[in-house]
Structures are given as structure tokens and as C-alpha cells.
Amino acid sequence: ETGVTQSPTHLIKTRGQQVTLRCSSQSGHNTVSWYQQALGQGPQFIFQYYREEENGRGNFPPRFSGLQFPNYSSELNVNALELDDSALYLCASSDYRGVSGYTFGSGTRLTVV
Amino acid sequence: AQSVTQLDSHVSVSEGTPVLLRCNYSSSYSPSLFWYVQHPNKGLQLLLKYTSAATLVKGINGFEAEFKKSETSFHLTKPSAHMSDAAEYFCVVRPPNDYKLSFGAGTTVTVRA
């Protein structure tokens, strides 16, 4: 059973730039969710992808977008980076609706300067 | 709407003494409840989950939690803390027929030798 791998582990970007974060999916899982964890806070739901389509979104602006690929891996894209986007970005893979649980990656630490 | 309140932002215990992490939730329906642990520079690891079966849930590493519907609580306990238990702990709620996890703000546990 493979885990969830996120890349890169750390990233520094300048305000206004664009960033792409990547996440593999655990074997047997077909759904990927993304969360933003600001310093000292709990993770906040960004969106979820199932069968290559977004099927749920939290309170994040459209400059946060994503993709899911046929192998169920996923990307998170953030355009026009702002200083407040600095956070740990976590992805979680699961079956649909998380019936058998969620497997989280170790996250990507994004710093916007 | 669902929300989670972790009543303690920081808990400090001596090694070998009990640990209690308090969590209250609000939900219109009977939710699924989880406790996750996050060690520094690591992803989130599931400790245990409640999904409307037994109200006392046993998890990994000696942790357990009791679901009390009348008190809308899901407190996490461990009889004897170990140094390796030092980490951030998150109480998480997921409403039925939903996919989105809502996290509490987290409780930082430190263990004194």
C-alpha cells in the first residue's frame, strides 16, 4: 500500500507569482482533497476532486484551482499569490466520501514574500 | 453548519501521567468524528474515528475517545503519556453524506520528562 506523496516539500514565491503543488493518490483511492493550514490554525478545506472533476469547494477564491489526472493524482494551482497564501498545503486521498478513511500527505510549505 | 471547538490550545503533562484533550462539536445531524495527530514536519495521522457504532472508540498508541451526544463532546484520553506523544492534535467533524472535513484549531501537547 503506497502512501500520499506531495511535492515540493518547501517553496518560496514572490507576491503576484503563480505556483503549482502536486499530490499523488494512495493506491485504491479515487478522490483527492486539498487543505490550507495557516500557522497556528487547523487545516481549512479548499476543494475536492473526484473522477477528474471538482465536486466540492470551500471558501477560497477562484485563483485557487486544481486538476485531477486519470491516475487520480492531483495538482493545486494558485495564481496571483498573496502574502496570506503562505501556509502548509495538505492533500488527502480517499475513496468517494471517505468511507474507508483519509490518507494525508506531509504537505508543501509555501512561503510568499 | 458544523463546527469544532478544541477547548485547550496547549496541554502540558508529565511523562507517565494521563492526557485529556477536550473537543466539543456542533452539528445538525450525527456526524463522523475523528482525532488526528500531526508531528513536526509530518502529515496528519489518524488516531481514531467515531462513525455511530460504539460510543467508546479505541485508537492507536493507547488513545481512546468517548462520544457523548448529550454533551456534544468527543474528548481524547490516554492513561499514560509518552515523550513521543508530544505533537499537535486535531479534532475533526464530518457531517453525514458529506465529504468535507472541518478541523478544530488544534491542541499542542508537550510532555515533560
Side-chain angles (χ1 to χ4, degrees), chain A residues 35 37 40-45 48 55-57 88 90 97-102 104-106, chain B residues 34 36 38 41-46 49 88 90 94 97-106:
Chain A
Y35 291 79
Q37 185 178 13
Q41 298 182 24
Q44 299 291 316
F45 175 75
Q48 175 176 283
N55 76 334
R57 189 175 187 92
L88 180 68
L90 296 164
R97 296 196 181 282
V99 172
S100 62
Y102 300 81
F104 281 86
S106 297
Chain B
F34 309 78
Y36 280 86
Q38 186 177 38
N41 301 315
K42 299 283 188 181
L44 293 161
Q45 181 184 20
L46 179 66
K49 64 179 179 180
E88 189 81 11
F90 293 98
R94 188 191 72 196
N97 300 317
D98 200 352
Y99 44 79
K100 171 186 170 183
L101 300 178
S102 294
F103 286 76

Side-chain angles (χ1 to χ4, degrees), chain B:
Chain B
Q2 288 65 231
S3 68
V4 180
T5 302
Q6 292 186 240
L7 300 172
D8 309 287
S9 59
H10 187 215
V11 169
S12 180
V13 298
S14 296
E15 190 174 23
T17 64
V19 181
L20 169 65
L21 305 183
R22 298 181 294 166
C23 172
N24 282 57
Y25 69 92
S26 65
S27 176
S28 302
Y29 305 97
S30 294
S32 294
L33 294 160
F34 309 78
W35 276 98
Y36 280 86
V37 61
Q38 186 177 38
H39 288 92
N41 301 315
K42 299 283 188 181
L44 293 161
Q45 181 184 20
L46 179 66
L47 286 175
L48 49 81
K49 64 179 179 180
Y50 167 77
T51 55
S52 75
T55 56
L56 184 62
V57 182
K58 293 190 182 298
I60 63 171
N61 301 334
F63 285 95
E64 63 180 36
E66 185 173 10
F67 173 70
K68 292 187 177 180
K69 186 175 181 178
S70 61
E71 300 176 8
T72 60
S73 69
F74 190 57
H75 301 336
L76 180 72
T77 61
K78 181 173 181 177
S80 177
H82 189 271
M83 297 298 287
S84 61
D85 294 327
E88 189 81 11
Y89 291 78
F90 293 98
C91 182
V92 182
V93 63
R94 188 191 72 196
N97 300 317
D98 200 352
Y99 44 79
K100 171 186 170 183
L101 300 178
S102 294
F103 286 76
T107 298
T108 303
V109 172
T110 57
V111 182
R112 305 183 303 272

Side-chain angles (χ1 to χ4, degrees), chain A residues 10-56:
Chain A
H10 295 83
L11 201 54
I12 299 175
K13 288 288 190 178
T14 303
R15 189 172 50 184
Q17 285 187 315
Q18 178 267 344
V19 69
T20 298
L21 310 182
R22 295 177 175 83
C23 171
S24 69
S25 177
Q26 180 171 298
S27 177
H29 287 172
N30 56 18
T31 302
V32 174
S33 305
W34 287 90
Y35 291 79
Q36 180 195 65
Q37 185 178 13
L39 197 63
Q41 298 182 24
Q44 299 291 316
F45 175 75
I46 302 175
F47 45 52
Q48 175 176 283
Y49 275 82
Y50 170 67
R51 291 187 175 178
E52 301 179 50
E53 291 192 1
E54 182 183 304
N55 76 334

Side-chain angles (χ1 to χ4, degrees), chain A residues 62-81:
Chain A
R63 59 190 185 84
F64 285 77
S65 63
L67 286 172
Q68 187 179 34
F69 300 99
N71 67 353
Y72 306 121
S73 67
S74 176
E75 287 182 355
L76 164 65
N77 299 290
V78 187
N79 294 320
L81 283 167

